[in-house]
Amino acid sequence: TASVPEAGERIGAAACADCHASYAGHYATSATHADCESCHGAAQLHAHTARAADIRQPANADCEACHQVGRTTLLHWATSRHARSDVLCTDCHNTHNREPFHVRRVTALDAALLPTAGATTRLCAGCHPEVAAQFHLPSHHPLAEGMIECSDCHGAHESSRTRLGAETRRCTSCHQEIAGPWVYEHAPVSEDCGHCHTPHGASADFLLEVPQPAGCITCHTLPISGAVHQPWAFTTRCTDCHSAVHGSFTDPVLRR
């Protein structure tokens, strides 16, 4: 992304199209990305040598010249994990593509991780393969099937620190039946769904981090709860009796 020494003068987008004809049709309908040299710098040297090393690749500053930080989609970009990890805009976007939002097309290897997922999800999987693998676990959100995208829950340009309680609100935007408010609340539910569930995939049912009753007795310990249960109660599922596990309008112990 550094400036090319002795790059020469600007030659204009029409001269670029003489060699890069595959991009010309796209730019004819894209007024915002029609000037190649606004992102790549002066192209006189590159036109003479045809070497990739003689043209500058866009840096984030080139994108931010138009897509200003603190505005619209880049409102929290400066504090986002991607920005703090020195991720380039061009790692995810390619202005030469016709894809929605110019999302970069993935390699065949990246696409093989989640072959039926959406384009944005396959792009994320290229850098986050350990997360992509979790969507092959027995219980998982239908992301690998293409029914949702990573971007439905995650904002690539945003900071998680700017949204207190965002995890629970994002979950209940789809799972509205457990949102409440309830007369009798289950405290972990109102705090963070992640206390019990893992968001990407799990071996246990319902995306639980651990099967029942192990997850329940991490809070409702045996010394506290054992006095009111027969010993065999902890060998089955707590929700067989406490079925209103997310909250109840009528029962303080969440049995209905």
Side-chain angles (χ1 to χ4, degrees):
T1 61
S3 298
V4 176
E6 301 179 357
E9 303 294 330
R10 294 170 64 93
I11 61 174
C16 298
D18 289 341
C19 294
H20 302 283
S22 60
Y23 304 147
H26 167 58
Y27 290 135
T29 59
S30 176
T32 55
H33 292 150
D35 183 1
C36 308
E37 291 168 301
S38 65
C39 296
H40 290 287
Q44 185 178 35
L45 178 62
H46 172 68
H48 177 69
T49 65
R51 296 196 316 153
D54 290 333
I55 192 71
R56 182 172 65 82
Q57 300 306 308
N60 285 4
D62 296 303
C63 301
E64 292 167 3
C66 296
H67 304 278
Q68 297 177 18
V69 174
R71 303 286 184 88
T72 60
T73 57
L74 294 181
L75 185 61
H76 303 298
W77 170 251
T79 56
S80 70
R81 290 184 178 180
H82 280 156
R84 288 184 284 123
S85 300
D86 294 326
V87 174
L88 293 173
C89 302
T90 51
D91 289 333
C92 299
H93 299 281
N94 182 354
T95 59
H96 303 153
N97 282 357
R98 293 174 180 266
E99 297 282 351
F101 306 110
H102 303 290
V103 172
R104 181 175 290 281
R105 294 186 179 94
V106 299
T107 65
L109 178 60
D110 291 340
L113 289 172
L114 295 168
T116 58
T120 302
T121 294
R122 292 200 301 268
L123 178 68
C124 298
C127 289
H128 303 281
E130 74 289 350
V131 175
Q134 295 177 37
F135 290 102
H136 294 291
L137 291 171
S139 177
H140 61 266
H141 274 116
L143 183 137
E145 293 78 11
M147 296 176 67
I148 61 174
E149 297 263 17
C150 298
S151 54
D152 290 333
C153 298
H154 300 281
H157 303 135
E158 299 171 8
S159 170
S160 58
R161 296 180 298 174
T162 62
R163 289 185 176 151
L164 297 177
E167 293 82 0
T168 295
R169 286 202 298 271
R170 287 184 182 179
C171 296
T172 55
S173 65
C174 290
H175 303 281
Q176 297 177 15
E177 73 282 2
I178 63 174
W182 305 103
V183 176
Y184 300 102
E185 291 188 337
H186 193 187
V189 177
S190 58
E191 292 173 357
D192 187 349
C193 300
H195 287 318
C196 299
H197 300 279
T198 182
H200 300 121
S203 297
D205 291 340
F206 307 114
L207 290 173
L208 291 171
E209 289 194 349
V210 293
Q212 298 184 60
C216 299
I217 61 177
T218 57
C219 295
H220 305 280
T221 59
L222 290 176
I224 295 174
S225 302
V228 295
H229 292 84
Q230 295 294 331
W232 51 262
F234 295 100
T235 65
T236 186
R237 298 178 304 178
C238 301
T239 53
D240 287 343
C241 294
H242 302 278
S243 57
V245 66
H246 296 109
S248 172
F249 292 118
T250 58
D251 189 355
V253 293
L254 307 180
R255 288 172 297 191
R256 60 186 183 277

